[in-house]
Amino acid sequence: MSHRIVSVSVRDVRFPTSLEQHGSDAMHTDPDYSAAYVVLHTACGLRGFGLTFTLGKGTEIVVLAVEALADLVVGKSLQDIVKDFRGFYRLLTSDGQMRWLGPEKGVIQLATAAVLNAVWDLWARAEGKDPEQIVSCVDFRYITDVLTEKEALDILVGAQEEDRMMKEGYPAYTTSCAWLGYSDQQLKQLCTDALKSGWTKFKVKVGANLDDDIHRCRLIRQTIGPNNTLMIDANQRWDVAEAISWVTSLSEFKPLWIEEPTSPDDILGHAAISKALAPLGIGVATGEQCANRVMFKQFLQASALQFVQIDSCRLGSVNENLAVLLMAHKFQVPVCPHAGGVGLCELVQHLILFDYICVSASLSNRMCEYVDHLHEHFTSPVVIQNAHYMPPKDPGYSCEMLESSVQRHQYPEGDTWKLLMNK
Amino acid sequence: MSHRIVSVSVRDVRFPTSLEQHGSDAMHTDPDYSAAYVVLHTACGLRGFGLTFTLGKGTEIVVLAVEALADLVVGKSLQDIVKDFRGFYRLLTSDGQMRWLGPEKGVIQLATAAVLNAVWDLWARAEGKDPEQIVSCVDFRYITDVLTEKEALDILVGAQEEDRMMKEGYPAYTTSCAWLGYSDQQLKQLCTDALKSGWTKFKVKVGANLDDDIHRCRLIRQTIGPNNTLMIDANQRWDVAEAISWVTSLSEFKPLWIEEPTSPDDILGHAAISKALAPLGIGVATGEQCANRVMFKQFLQASALQFVQIDSCRLGSVNENLAVLLMAHKFQVPVCPHAGGVGLCELVQHLILFDYICVSASLSNRMCEYVDHLHEHFTSPVVIQNAHYMPPKDPGYSCEMLESSVQRHQYPEGDTWKLLMNK
């Protein structure tokens, strides 16, 4: 059966999360968690759902970029696309005119992710895949100096570990307990509640004020005890030297990693920070704003990170996430995906399960971020049990939203926004 | 006198250059040279003109991004902006919600460049500047590990070499003679004509087909002779190993540099290529798709380039170009700006004159790209004499376009496009 894509719809969906300081960090103080939400419609009535995550303002720009890419998608059949998915990826990312707007970064890459996430959803609903098909989705351009197609295939046919995941799920950590905007009382209550629900790994936002960070890290370390895991996240707040001294000042609280200590583009800076913090037993994690496989390649080559934080919407969808998972495996660096936002948990659970089952077969130093937020807007929300992601059972890439939620939160015409604007 | 900005207009202006294969290279085969063209209007009637260069499709996305940034500009006075230009730069690049779309790269950075280019034009029309003011425009965030504010100031007060430029102008090289789409006959004729007009430095596009490249390089080297300068440009066509072997095959034609051998994001890849080609006397040049100061910082730290190709519209306007000029000086790597496109020559001549007069005071291995193309659409087009850029005399940043040209080429409603679409 041919699934010919006859139209692409895209909507600007925003949740007014800034009203309650959910999601606030040292660099993004007032995010309204949002998405450019894409639906592919096929001639036979099957639909594919995809999205990319944004922070509110500017979502309309990503929506327009999706509309520009739609011209390259409409009229193609799913079969044609997956027969040469690498070529299709390159069609979107290397259009002779639009390539200038990236390449493979920023708005145009976010839009590419939204469109391709919908293609993957469609494909997942339509049929299964094998390792050769998986490898054929990866664009190896610019990464053959560290990973060849042959090596990738050897990795994929090696590991196959499904049972454990089906039973126990994939370990998660929580970021929901310690956003920058929260009070001491809130922090303590949230951590205590989380411990009761089985959480053992906690991430704290830092970077705005050192004294405040010391105070908050102490409070949280006291609440969770010495044996649970603490991570800290600066959201790119520092220069290199500042990052090293600031994190050194927080080392007594034994964080496993410092996340995004400086510019997401600064590979050599992260390498310097990694080197300086290694004696303290603190690793460096980054990736949620790392836009493509070429940047991740270098982070790995330069030993600039000890935890790879892939993002389901920043990279060019599954295609490029596959490239990064495979390179991380080659360098033996654990992958701990970025999630939260809108729909990121729903998407990324597929990637990390794939990583375990088909690539790494290891949980050593591995865990997936979880934020307890906005899942109620999805038709197949993530299932968390005992602080683990349970494998999703519904077909697809899990980012179909409830139509009622989409309509209510469409910007600016949805009821939620009409009400807020009339206040 | 207060120059309060009361409105920002932005238009999508496109020239159908793909019809004649002007501008074609190994990765961008059919560019329609275009611009998001910005005008700032002040209460007192003064206007500031700015633009960013694009390749056609997707220009509407950059236009929408400029409109999103306009909210941060309207209502401010020029004086308020320049009093804390670093802060204003950061306001545009670090908006808590829009930052997610970059940060400082892709569409949102191109839009930032267009807006800030217009602010610089306005400022240039309104008043002069001194070194302290210049340094106060630079956002040193993420680059203090290689350049401090104090060092920058010391560099700026050191050099002051104006006379030579006023007399001789700044040396240029031409890219107009050897686009990929041209025939042998065209190549030979264009080179011969250029030699007669005083040109001594020529750039050739390569990367699509090795035999064809050998043929074209031989033809051009024969035409221009052994003592003139030849550069080659692959526009990101290769992986790392491929770049090294391909350029090695072209080394007999003695190119000064290979430009954009691989992904513009691959700092370590460029470093490997630089190292491999150094024994052949061939340098590596890149930068036209290098989106921010943090990337340039690393290219310099890693000895990954021997020629810094700043871009007036890819980086965040003059502010960020200043940071790169100063870092390049510190690392003693010559700056040879990217130009061509629409208005890039007009803009970049100011940057390279500034580099000579206030930073480097050297012409060693330095030259500025020139493409003889679309200048007739500007109110103060560049003046080239004997293959040199002559210093512009009109106040401002030289990117005001003729209103008639803008109207005729507005996309899709201008006459040029209406005619083409009805064909």
Side-chain angles (χ1 to χ4, degrees):
Chain A
M1 189 170 183
S2 156
H3 299 294
R4 199 167 59 81
I5 298 166
V6 291
S7 69
V8 176
S9 72
V10 53
R11 286 180 284 178
D12 180 338
V13 184
R14 307 190 192 187
F15 300 91
T17 48
S18 64
L19 297 178
E20 294 173 23
Q21 300 251 323
H22 297 315
S24 64
D25 64 50
M27 293 296 271
H28 311 93
T29 50
D30 60 347
D32 286 328
Y33 280 5
S34 305
Y37 179 62
V38 174
V39 187
L40 305 179
H41 302 264
T42 68
C44 61
L46 198 66
R47 291 179 298 167
F49 301 88
L51 58 79
T52 194
F53 170 56
T54 53
L55 296 188
K57 263 191 286 178
T59 307
E60 75 280 9
I61 305 169
V62 182
V63 164
L64 191 63
V66 168
E67 286 169 355
L69 293 173
D71 288 344
L72 304 172
V73 179
V74 171
K76 299 222 163 41
S77 76
L78 178 63
Q79 285 74 6
D80 289 343
I81 290 172
V82 303
K83 209 164 59 191
D84 179 20
F85 210 153
R86 185 183 300 157
F88 184 71
Y89 176 84
R90 206 177 271 189
L91 178 77
L92 296 196
T93 56
S94 285
D95 175 88
Q97 298 194 348
M98 284 193 282
R99 187 178 188 281
W100 191 261
L101 306 180
E104 296 180 276
K105 60 178 69 70
V107 165
I108 201 78
Q109 184 80 333
L110 292 168
T112 298
V115 170
L116 290 179
N117 282 344
V119 171
W120 277 90
D121 182 65
L122 193 62
W123 194 14
R125 287 165 193 263
E127 59 185 36
K129 291 129 210 75
D130 60 34
E132 282 80 6
Q133 277 181 300
I134 296 291
V135 168
S136 79
C137 299
V138 176
D139 186 355
F140 287 87
R141 174 175 269 173
Y142 303 141
I143 59 171
T144 54
D145 48 335
V146 311
L147 185 78
T148 65
E149 192 163 348
K150 170 78 172 58
E151 285 176 294
L153 195 59
D154 289 346
I155 292 170
L156 281 182
V157 296
Q160 290 294 339
E161 282 273 5
E162 199 165 334
D163 291 356
R164 181 172 176 183
M165 287 299 110
M166 297 311 288
K167 264 183 284 187
E168 297 172 24
Y170 198 93
Y173 71 87
T174 178
T175 308
S176 292
C177 298
W179 296 107
L180 267 194
Y182 289 179
S183 69
D184 283 7
Q185 175 63 26
Q186 258 177 308
L187 292 178
K188 206 161 170 176
Q189 188 63 50
L190 287 165
C191 288
T192 307
D193 293 347
L195 286 165
K196 280 187 202 148
S197 309
W199 293 93
T200 58
K201 306 177 176 77
F202 300 80
K203 193 162 82 186
V204 183
K205 297 287 179 178
V206 298
N209 176 292
L210 179 57
D211 290 337
D212 182 52
D213 287 349
I214 292 173
H215 171 76
R216 292 151 44 81
C217 285
R218 178 166 292 132
L219 182 75
I220 290 167
R221 180 48 91 190
Q222 281 170 351
T223 311
I224 67 172
N227 296 325
N228 284 317
T229 305
L230 179 74
M231 289 86 73
I232 56 177
D233 182 358
N235 291 88
Q236 313 168 20
R237 184 58 186 259
W238 305 310
D239 285 19
V240 174
E242 196 181 11
I244 294 168
S245 74
W246 197 303
V247 176
T248 302
S249 302
L250 297 176
S251 61
E252 62 174 301
F253 307 111
K254 305 277 176 214
L256 176 67
W257 76 50
I258 171 65
E259 180 170 332
E260 292 204 307
T262 188
S263 163
D265 297 336
D266 198 351
I267 298 149
L268 301 179
H270 281 81
I273 296 166
S274 291
K275 205 173 162 189
L277 296 180
L280 301 173
I282 303 170
V284 169
T286 192
E288 72 184 66
Q289 293 195 12
C290 186
N292 59 52
R293 67 198 176 285
V294 181
M295 293 300 287
F296 271 115
K297 176 184 78 167
Q298 295 172 85
F299 273 105
L300 290 164
Q301 287 177 303
S303 304
L305 42 62
Q306 288 71 52
F307 301 90
V308 171
Q309 299 184 303
I310 55 167
D311 185 293
S312 55
C313 295
R314 176 76 59 182
L315 289 167
S317 188
V318 180
N319 309 67
E320 211 164 29
N321 269 290
L322 290 171
V324 178
L325 291 178
L326 291 161
M327 286 192 289
H329 180 72
K330 182 162 173 186
F331 284 88
Q332 288 292 301
V333 176
V335 174
C336 301
H338 173 239
V342 181
L344 300 185
C345 299
E346 276 70 19
L347 289 163
V348 89
Q349 63 180 334
H350 294 267
L351 300 175
I352 200 62
L353 285 166
F354 175 85
D355 183 57
Y356 182 80
I357 296 170
C358 301
V359 180
S360 74
S362 162
L363 291 180
S364 169
N365 258 335
R366 286 169 160 87
M367 51 188 153
C368 186
E369 184 167 20
Y370 176 71
V371 183
D372 185 11
H373 215 170
L374 304 173
H375 302 291
E376 66 275 20
H377 301 293
F378 290 83
T379 60
S380 302
V382 287
V383 176
I384 297 287
Q385 277 177 19
N386 194 34
H388 283 64
Y389 277 90
M390 299 311 294
K393 300 219 170 70
D394 297 329
Y397 202 4
S398 307
C399 62
E400 180 179 356
M401 294 176 81
L402 296 168
E403 183 57 27
S404 57
S405 285
V406 173
Q407 288 188 8
R408 204 161 60 246
H409 293 93
Q410 256 189 278
Y411 185 88
E413 66 275 29
D415 284 348
T416 301
W417 291 102
K418 271 202 285 196
L419 269 171
L420 280 168
M421 285 169 189
N422 289 334
K423 261 187 187 163
Chain B
M1 189 169 183
S2 158
H3 298 294
R4 200 166 59 82
I5 297 165
V6 293
S7 68
V8 176
S9 73
V10 54
R11 285 180 286 178
D12 180 337
V13 183
R14 307 190 192 186
F15 300 91
T17 48
S18 63
L19 297 178
E20 296 173 21
Q21 299 252 323
H22 297 316
S24 64
D25 64 49
M27 293 294 272
H28 311 92
T29 50
D30 60 347
D32 286 328
Y33 280 5
S34 306
Y37 179 60
V38 174
V39 187
L40 305 178
H41 302 264
T42 68
C44 62
L46 198 65
R47 290 179 301 167
F49 300 89
L51 59 79
T52 194
F53 170 57
T54 52
L55 295 188
K57 264 190 285 178
T59 308
E60 76 280 9
I61 307 170
V62 182
V63 164
L64 191 64
V66 168
E67 286 170 355
L69 292 173
D71 288 345
L72 304 172
V73 178
V74 170
K76 299 224 163 38
S77 77
L78 179 63
Q79 286 73 9
D80 290 344
I81 290 172
V82 303
K83 209 164 60 191
D84 178 20
F85 209 154
R86 184 182 300 156
F88 184 71
Y89 176 85
R90 205 177 272 189
L91 179 76
L92 296 197
T93 56
S94 286
D95 174 87
Q97 297 193 349
M98 283 193 283
R99 188 178 187 282
W100 191 260
L101 306 181
E104 296 180 278
K105 61 178 68 68
V107 166
I108 201 78
Q109 184 80 332
L110 292 167
T112 299
V115 170
L116 290 179
N117 282 345
V119 171
W120 276 91
D121 181 66
L122 192 63
W123 194 14
R125 288 165 193 263
E127 61 186 33
K129 292 129 210 79
D130 61 32
E132 282 81 6
Q133 277 180 300
I134 296 290
V135 168
S136 78
C137 299
V138 176
D139 186 354
F140 288 87
R141 175 176 269 174
Y142 303 141
I143 59 170
T144 55
D145 48 336
V146 310
L147 186 78
T148 65
E149 191 164 349
K150 169 77 172 61
E151 285 176 293
L153 195 59
D154 288 346
I155 293 170
L156 280 181
V157 297
Q160 290 293 339
E161 282 273 3
E162 198 164 337
D163 290 356
R164 182 170 175 184
M165 288 298 111
M166 298 311 286
K167 265 182 284 186
E168 298 171 23
Y170 198 93
Y173 72 87
T174 177
T175 308
S176 293
C177 298
W179 296 107
L180 268 195
Y182 288 179
S183 69
D184 283 7
Q185 175 64 26
Q186 256 177 309
L187 291 178
K188 205 162 171 176
Q189 188 62 51
L190 287 165
C191 287
T192 307
D193 293 348
L195 285 164
K196 281 187 200 146
S197 309
W199 294 94
T200 58
K201 306 176 176 80
F202 299 81
K203 194 162 79 186
V204 183
K205 296 287 179 179
V206 297
N209 177 290
L210 180 57
D211 290 337
D212 182 52
D213 286 350
I214 291 173
H215 172 76
R216 292 150 45 80
C217 286
R218 177 166 293 132
L219 182 76
I220 291 168
R221 180 49 90 190
Q222 280 169 352
T223 312
I224 68 173
N227 295 325
N228 284 317
T229 305
L230 179 75
M231 289 86 74
I232 55 177
D233 181 359
N235 291 87
Q236 312 169 19
R237 185 57 186 259
W238 306 310
D239 285 18
V240 173
E242 196 180 11
I244 294 167
S245 75
W246 197 302
V247 176
T248 301
S249 302
L250 298 175
S251 61
E252 60 175 303
F253 308 111
K254 305 278 176 213
L256 176 66
W257 75 51
I258 171 63
E259 180 171 332
E260 292 204 306
T262 188
S263 162
D265 297 336
D266 198 350
I267 297 149
L268 301 179
H270 281 82
I273 296 166
S274 291
K275 204 172 161 189
L277 297 180
L280 301 173
I282 303 169
V284 169
T286 192
E288 73 184 64
Q289 292 196 12
C290 186
N292 60 52
R293 67 198 176 284
V294 181
M295 292 300 288
F296 270 115
K297 177 185 78 168
Q298 295 173 85
F299 273 105
L300 291 164
Q301 287 177 303
S303 304
L305 42 63
Q306 288 71 52
F307 301 91
V308 172
Q309 299 184 301
I310 55 168
D311 185 292
S312 56
C313 295
R314 177 75 59 181
L315 288 167
S317 188
V318 180
N319 310 67
E320 211 164 29
N321 270 290
L322 290 170
V324 177
L325 291 177
L326 291 161
M327 287 192 289
H329 180 73
K330 183 161 174 187
F331 284 88
Q332 288 294 299
V333 177
V335 175
C336 300
H338 173 241
V342 180
L344 299 185
C345 297
E346 277 68 20
L347 289 163
V348 88
Q349 63 180 334
H350 294 267
L351 300 175
I352 200 63
L353 285 166
F354 175 85
D355 183 57
Y356 182 80
I357 296 169
C358 300
V359 180
S360 74
S362 162
L363 291 181
S364 169
N365 259 333
R366 285 168 160 88
M367 51 189 153
C368 186
E369 184 167 20
Y370 176 71
V371 184
D372 185 11
H373 214 169
L374 304 172
H375 301 291
E376 66 275 21
H377 301 294
F378 289 83
T379 60
S380 303
V382 286
V383 176
I384 298 288
Q385 279 177 16
N386 194 34
H388 283 66
Y389 278 90
M390 299 310 293
K393 299 221 168 70
D394 297 328
Y397 201 5
S398 307
C399 60
E400 180 178 357
M401 295 176 82
L402 295 169
E403 182 57 25
S404 57
S405 285
V406 173
Q407 288 187 9
R408 204 161 60 247
H409 293 93
Q410 256 189 277
Y411 185 88
E413 67 274 31
D415 284 348
T416 300
W417 291 103
K418 271 200 284 194
L419 270 170
L420 281 169
M421 286 169 188
N422 289 335
K423 263 188 188 165

